[in-house]
Amino acid sequence: MEWFWPTLAIVCIVEGLGPLLMPNRWRLYMLQVSQQPSNQLRQVGGILVVVGSVSLFYLLH
């Protein structure tokens, strides 16, 4: 569990770079994402969870 908080901090840093450095472009991107069908967003989210889980598994073992 000692890896959880540092990992969460890195996620916050990475997620915050877009709005910090390019707020107008980030806003347009979020607008485009919000207009996508729910099924497409669900598929992208599922793929990201699987890729992240597999990557984490291989990085930790």
Side-chain angles (χ1 to χ4, degrees):
M1 188 68 172
E2 67 184 53
W3 54 268
F4 178 77
W5 294 112
T7 303
L8 184 61
I10 291 171
V11 168
C12 289
I13 292 169
V14 170
E15 290 291 326
L17 286 175
L20 175 68
L21 299 176
M22 303 172 288
N24 291 330
R25 183 176 277 175
W26 183 81
R27 183 179 294 119
L28 291 173
Y29 174 72
M30 288 293 113
L31 182 61
Q32 290 175 344
V33 168
S34 69
Q35 294 174 349
Q36 298 299 314
S38 295
N39 287 338
Q40 186 175 0
L41 293 174
R42 190 172 288 117
Q43 287 175 340
V44 170
I47 290 169
L48 289 173
V49 167
V50 169
V51 168
S53 298
V54 170
S55 299
L56 185 61
F57 176 78
Y58 282 112
L59 288 171
L60 294 178
H61 286 94

